[in-house]
Amino acid sequence: MHISFSFLPDYWPYFLNGVICTLMLAFFTVLLAVLPAVLLALMRLSKNKVLNFISNAFIEIIRGTPMLVQIAIVYYGFFGAIKLPNYMIFGFINVAMFIPCIIALAVNSSAYVAEIIRAGILAVDRGQTEAARSLGMTQGQCMRMIVLPQAIKNILPALGNEFVTLVKESSICSTIGVTELMFGANLTRGATYQTMGPLLLAAALYFCMTFPASKLLAYLERRMRRGDAR
């Protein structure tokens, strides 16, 4: 097994661009997934059977099908009919491929984030809700002013972990030509006929992105738990 990094002087821009694109994919996916995830979580907690069924069905379908299939359906199906302009961002990110990937990743992530939010809401003591209702608050006011602010402390660490997961899972976007990190590695492999070097470099860069984020999340979680121990 021959490992060489002699490709770096000529092909390092592909890896740099890939890191930038990967981080952008993860960041915008998390932002786009939060709002529908909140709605899905509230629908699942609702006593309305129709809303509950719709939320359950969506979450189970999304969690029960591969992300690769979902990206293909969004890109070749929905955006096959709605053509986006081939506009380039930063000179290397094609909007026509980037936006469908963000939407597909956000749809997938929203199902998982919805369960995170639902668990965070259920973790809030039921007595908090009963006390708020006894003061004359409506269900909506109670959720907005009492439950959700307390649930955020439980939700934030898991949301951070979802961001870390998306950094890694965004590699699947290379299958439709998005210039993220894995796409740069595959491009380098095809041009140089070197296999292990580009793959090991891509793995190292993924680790460099996810490891500091994981440590930061662990630190923030410890800080947030300090008040619970008092």
Side-chain angles (χ1 to χ4, degrees), residues 24 37 124 174:
M24 288 179 63
V124 177
S174 63

Side-chain angles (χ1 to χ4, degrees), residues 103-123:
I103 292 174
L105 289 172
V107 169
N108 182 274
S109 181
S110 66
Y112 293 91
V113 175
E115 289 297 280
I116 292 170
I117 294 173
R118 184 177 71 92
I121 291 173
L122 292 176

Side-chain angles (χ1 to χ4, degrees), residues 14-42:
Y14 292 112
F15 291 90
L16 176 61
N17 294 343
V19 168
I20 294 171
C21 185
T22 296
L23 291 174
M24 288 179 63
L25 278 171
F27 177 75
F28 286 114
T29 296
V30 169
L31 286 183
L32 194 61
V34 168
L35 181 57
V38 171
L39 293 176
L40 286 168
L42 295 178

Side-chain angles (χ1 to χ4, degrees), residues 48-67:
N48 186 305
K49 292 184 178 180
V50 175
L51 295 179
N52 192 281
F53 173 79
I54 293 172
S55 177
N56 272 321
F58 176 85
I59 290 172
E60 293 302 326
I61 290 171
I62 294 300
R63 292 173 65 183
T65 54
M67 186 184 292

Side-chain angles (χ1 to χ4, degrees), residues 1 22 49 105 134 162 177 201 206 215 217 223:
M1 181 176 63
T22 296
K49 292 184 178 180
L105 289 172
S134 68
E162 181 66 15
L201 179 59
Y206 277 117
K215 289 299 180 184
L217 289 169
R223 293 276 298 180

Side-chain angles (χ1 to χ4, degrees), residues 61-125:
I61 290 171
I62 294 300
R63 292 173 65 183
T65 54
M67 186 184 292
L68 180 60
V69 175
Q70 295 166 16
I71 288 177
I73 289 172
V74 171
Y75 181 66
Y76 295 108
F78 184 74
F79 283 97
I82 302 175
K83 297 294 184 181
L84 294 175
N86 287 313
Y87 179 74
M88 303 298 286
I89 302 174
F90 303 134
F92 63 90
I93 298 177
N94 191 332
V95 168
M97 298 175 181
F98 188 73
I99 290 179
C101 264
I102 289 179
I103 292 174
L105 289 172
V107 169
N108 182 274
S109 181
S110 66
Y112 293 91
V113 175
E115 289 297 280
I116 292 170
I117 294 173
R118 184 177 71 92
I121 291 173
L122 292 176
V124 177
D125 194 298

